Every structure is written in C-alpha cells, then in structure tokens.
C-alpha cells in the first residue's frame, strides 16, 4: 500500500463509488498482515517512502510466493531480493505477473505500474568499477527504478583505466545522486568524490583476490576515503544503496 492507493480508496468512498464496507475490506489488512511465517508491513511505504521488500536468500519458494502475493494485492510494486534462479522459477510458476532479473537476482511484480515519482529531483546514476561488480550495481539500479526514480547506468569505468571515467563527466554532472559500486581496493568512490560535489553512495563488493577478504578491503578503503561527501553501505548491498539514493533524490 502506498499513499496514492490509500487516497484513491478514501476518495472512492467519499464519492460513493465504493461503499464503506468495500473500503473497509480494502483496508482491513493495514497496517500489517500476519501469515504463518511472516508479518507483512503494508504501511511501510506510507510511513517511510520505502515499501516492504522480501529478502529471499534464506526463504523457501513457497514463503516468497506467499509474501509476494500479499504485497501484490495492495502495492504499486513488489520486490524480492537475493532470489536464486531455481527458487525464482518455482515462484514464477506459482504466481503470475512476476519478472525475474537474473543478474541482480531480483523478482519484481507490478513493474508496469511504476511511474516516475513527481517528487524526484533528478536522475540517479549507478556506476560500477568493473563488469564483475555489475550484479550488485544492477540490484541498486532496479531498486532505484522501482522506487520511482529516473535511473541511468555507467559500467566498467574503474581506476585501472581512469580515462573511461573522465570521458563521462558530463553524464556524472547531470545526475542528482551517484551510486558507485566497486570491489578490489574500492578506490572508485574516492576518485569520483574528488571530481564532483554530487552525493555519493559507495557500495563495496566481494569481488577481488585473496587479500580483498570478501569485500572487507573495499569496505575499509571506502570508509577511509579522503574525499568528502562519500557515504558507505554494507558489502554487496546494492538494494540499500538504491533505497538511500531514492531517499536523497526525493524533494
């Protein structure tokens, strides 16, 4: 449930197009709905601007399908993250109207209903250092897009070939907020922070050789950035970065 849907129901009741009983039936699961294995927060988007999203990594296909079915009933868009391909296939066979984005491991429902938020101040630009960082970058990209933001992407422009980044400064300066995804030593957010004053959300990835320690080296590098205006989310947390970018981009 989002603010627009709630207002639509209330206006319909006021205008007489919907009876009080019908309006009550539409709202009876608010603010939350208890299933056998989950308690779904239908009011979250109204309160915070961010909808309830399913973290699918340790859930069964049946649990994901059950939660998504409930979210699809009352929400403009429903998302599930970290869904493996085999589980996604089972969910899609059980529930119609879903799109699976394999690279980002995300399930999206009602995406055709997503419109650009009129409060969006500009464009979110998602940047990846390397092709290997793209799954996390795509998670950020799809999340920000499904939250109603205009989103663009700029991939494989890491510091090993810095000319690739510098040649795209026009695109960077046109964006309102930047999500910068990098593994290895995680240097790219600092470099971009020295080139622009845009807000930067840095996302360390678990990409790298042994002493990258599964993304810890990139995380520490980003946390110790000498460039001002760089904020950091957790390792591989493209979803969190997309949500933060959306919050910054709202007027």
């Amino acid at each position: 449930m989002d603010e627009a849907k709630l207002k639509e129901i209330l206006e319909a009741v006021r205008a007489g197009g919907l009876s009080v009983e019908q309006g009550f039936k539409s709202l009876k699961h608010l603010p939350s709905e208890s299933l056998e294995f989950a308690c779904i927060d239908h009011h979250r988007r109204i309160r915070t601007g961010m909808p309830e999203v399913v973290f699918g990594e340790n859930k069964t296909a049946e649990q994901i399908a059950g939660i998504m079915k409930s979210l699809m009933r009352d929400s403009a868009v429903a998302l599930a993250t970290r869904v493996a391909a085999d589980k996604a296939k089972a969910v899609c066979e059980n529930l119609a109207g879903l799109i699976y984005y394999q690279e980002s491991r995300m399930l999206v429902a009602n995406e055709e209903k997503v419109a650009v938020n009129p409060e969006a101040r500009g464009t979110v630009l998602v940047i990846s250092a390397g092709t290997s960082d793209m799954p996390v970058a795509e998670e950020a990209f799809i999340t920000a897009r499904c939250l109603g933001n205009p989103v663009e992407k700029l991939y494989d422009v890491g510091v090993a070939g810095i000319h690739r980044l510098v040649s795209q400064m026009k695109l960077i300066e046109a964006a309102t907020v930047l999500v910068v995804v990098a593994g290895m030593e995680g240097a790219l957010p600092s470099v971009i922070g020295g080139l622009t004053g845009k807000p930067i959300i840095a996302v360390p990835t678990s990409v790298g050789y042994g002493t990258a320690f599964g993304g810890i080296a990139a995380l520490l590098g980003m946390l110790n950035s000498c460039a001002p205006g760089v904020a950091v989310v957790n390792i591989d947390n493209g979803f969190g970065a997309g949500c933060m970018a959306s919050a910054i981009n709202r007027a």
Side-chain angles (χ1 to χ4, degrees):
M1 180 70 71
D2 56 21
E3 187 175 329
K5 179 67 174 178
L6 180 58
K7 287 181 178 178
E8 179 186 316
I9 293 170
L10 295 176
E11 289 289 352
V13 172
R14 182 169 68 174
L18 203 65
S19 70
V20 171
E21 183 62 29
Q22 288 170 322
F24 172 76
K25 186 176 180 181
S26 298
L27 300 174
K28 72 177 182 177
H29 294 303
L30 300 180
S32 62
E33 176 184 4
S34 292
L35 304 179
E36 182 182 349
F37 46 81
C39 186
I40 303 169
D41 185 357
H42 289 297
H43 254 185
R44 186 175 301 180
R45 187 155 195 170
I46 296 172
R47 293 194 319 272
T48 69
M50 303 294 173
E52 170 92 280
V53 172
V54 183
F55 181 73
E57 191 163 85
N58 297 311
K59 292 182 177 67
T60 66
E62 291 76 17
Q63 289 170 337
I64 295 170
I67 299 169
M68 289 292 280
K69 183 177 180 180
S70 177
L71 292 174
M72 290 168 69
R73 184 188 63 235
D74 291 316
S75 299
V77 66
L79 302 173
T81 66
R82 303 301 171 90
V83 182
D86 58 337
K87 281 198 283 189
K89 182 180 178 182
V91 173
C92 290
E93 288 173 351
N94 189 35
L95 192 60
L98 295 171
I99 299 173
Y100 181 58
Y101 291 97
Q102 186 165 345
E103 187 156 37
S104 64
R105 296 183 294 161
M106 293 183 73
L107 278 169
V108 182
N110 299 335
E111 188 173 2
E112 72 282 356
K113 297 180 181 180
V114 176
V116 173
N117 188 337
E119 293 185 344
R121 297 190 294 120
T123 299
V124 174
L125 178 61
V126 180
I127 303 172
S128 84
T131 303
S132 296
D133 301 308
M134 281 177 56
V136 177
E138 281 292 294
E139 186 178 73
F141 178 86
I142 292 169
T143 298
R145 184 176 70 191
C146 287
L147 292 176
N149 299 276
V151 191
E152 294 188 39
K153 59 180 77 172
L154 177 61
Y155 289 172
D156 195 26
V157 291
V159 298
I162 200 67
H163 59 286
R164 299 173 299 176
L165 175 70
V166 175
S167 67
Q168 297 292 334
M169 285 306 299
K170 186 175 181 180
L171 180 62
I172 291 170
E173 287 298 337
T176 301
V177 56
L178 310 175
V179 175
V180 184
V181 183
M184 301 289 187
E185 85 283 30
L188 187 59
S190 289
V191 172
I192 295 176
L195 296 173
T196 181
K198 305 290 181 178
I200 295 170
I201 303 164
V203 189
T205 72
S206 52
V207 172
Y209 295 103
T211 55
F213 294 113
I216 293 175
L219 172 64
L220 293 176
M222 292 174 182
L223 288 171
N224 287 285
S225 172
C226 64
V230 176
V232 187
V233 298
N234 209 342
I235 298 168
D236 292 337
N237 190 9
F239 167 72
C243 288
M244 179 56 70
S246 182
I248 293 172
N249 198 39
R250 286 201 304 268

